[in-house]
Amino acid sequence: MVVRELTGGIYFGQPRGFGTNDKGEEIGFNTEIYSVSEIDRIARVAFEVARKRGGKLCSVDKANVLEASMLWRKRVTAIASEFPDVELSHMYVDNASMQLVRNPKQFDTIVTNNSYGDILSDEASMITGSIGMLPSASVGESGPGLFEPIHGSAPDIAGQDKANPRATILSAAMLLKYGLGTENAAKRIETAVTETLDNGFRTGDIYSPGTTLVGCKRMGEEVLKALDSQK
């Protein structure tokens, strides 16, 4: 699980823009900036998520060279005292990108800033074989979150019965687990999705010889069958 800060960092920091340096060359510039409140907020979310999972949280930064990351690491470490049941570790982003490929099972929950999370979450998605497998959520401190597949709308295959519906289905499970706190209901959906995979059903994005190629509609039906069989 990658917990990404979404409203701060270099994507929104000021100042930003274009200018000219002392040599007369055109330059572009952005600002990586985080406040204590922004870091504390996302850190607490990540610790709560880790608490519901395997109890391990890895904070990813670049604290060896960036002041914004130094503050990030300082604050995440401070917030850890509120969650003594969660094991906290730190990792530089370049190493984390390598470790995700080398040994993804070492991670349970990752928390990181906006730009690093943008990259690492896409990298992590391909470990599963396809971005069509992964749910996501955009949540705030209060009010409803937005739970949706990590991928876009894929207009190039619209209406062709080719899309992988699992990310959408698992987004509903994520809503139940993290948005509504109904973990048993979420587990039923997750189990049904896993069962369809175990039974060899595949949409085109994850198809391989020896498995059963089905479309979006059939895949949804198979998940429903697996869900109903749990009764």
Side-chain angles (χ1 to χ4, degrees), residues 78-147:
I79 297 298
S81 63
E82 301 174 16
F83 301 86
D85 53 325
V86 177
E87 176 187 341
L88 174 64
S89 63
H90 301 275
M91 191 174 291
Y92 297 140
V93 64
D94 46 348
N95 186 28
S97 64
M98 178 188 72
Q99 295 294 337
L100 270 173
V101 175
R102 188 185 74 84
N103 180 22
K105 288 187 177 181
Q106 69 183 281
F107 298 102
D108 179 75
T109 306
I110 292 172
V111 62
T112 192
N113 69 18
N114 203 343
S115 58
Y116 300 160
D118 191 3
I119 297 164
L120 292 178
S121 59
D122 276 10
E123 180 187 358
S125 74
M126 292 314 297
I127 294 169
T128 68
S130 169
I131 59 174
M133 299 291 293
L134 294 183
S136 72
S138 299
V139 296
E141 289 182 288
S142 61
L146 176 64
F147 296 81

Side-chain angles (χ1 to χ4, degrees), residues 20-218:
T20 305
N21 65 14
D22 55 5
K23 296 179 181 179
E25 297 175 307
E26 185 180 8
I27 61 170
F29 57 92
N30 297 85
T31 302
E32 168 76 356
I33 183 169
Y34 271 107
S35 66
V36 167
S37 61
E38 288 175 315
I39 299 168
D40 289 3
R41 178 181 61 199
I42 194 66
R44 288 191 175 98
V45 170
F47 276 107
E48 291 288 357
V49 169
R51 200 175 243 175
K52 292 180 179 180
R53 293 172 54 84
K56 291 174 59 180
L57 178 64
C58 180
S59 177
V60 174
D61 58 42
K62 194 62 177 169
N64 55 336
V65 292
L66 298 177
E67 282 77 6
S69 278
M70 294 174 194
L71 179 63
W72 179 282
R73 183 172 292 209
K74 177 182 176 181
R75 291 312 307 166
V76 172
T77 301
I79 297 298
S81 63
E82 301 174 16
F83 301 86
D85 53 325
V86 177
E87 176 187 341
L88 174 64
S89 63
H90 301 275
M91 191 174 291
Y92 297 140
V93 64
D94 46 348
N95 186 28
S97 64
M98 178 188 72
Q99 295 294 337
L100 270 173
V101 175
R102 188 185 74 84
N103 180 22
K105 288 187 177 181
Q106 69 183 281
F107 298 102
D108 179 75
T109 306
I110 292 172
V111 62
T112 192
N113 69 18
N114 203 343
S115 58
Y116 300 160
D118 191 3
I119 297 164
L120 292 178
S121 59
D122 276 10
E123 180 187 358
S125 74
M126 292 314 297
I127 294 169
T128 68
S130 169
I131 59 174
M133 299 291 293
L134 294 183
S136 72
S138 299
V139 296
E141 289 182 288
S142 61
L146 176 64
F147 296 81
E148 60 182 344
I150 195 172
H151 57 73
S153 57
D156 56 317
I157 58 171
Q160 299 178 43
D161 196 33
K162 291 182 177 180
N164 186 340
R166 286 191 178 97
T168 303
I169 295 168
L170 289 172
S171 293
M174 183 177 275
L175 165 63
L176 290 167
K177 185 173 184 177
Y178 296 102
L180 300 177
T182 52
E183 293 193 31
N184 289 338
K187 185 64 176 177
R188 286 187 60 200
I189 294 176
E190 292 167 353
T191 299
V193 169
T194 299
E195 185 176 324
T196 62
L197 284 169
D198 291 343
N199 289 336
F201 295 104
R202 302 286 191 273
T203 43
D205 55 329
I206 56 171
Y207 172 77
S208 61
T211 60
T212 303
L213 179 63
V214 297
C216 179
K217 184 174 185 294
R218 171 74 184 281

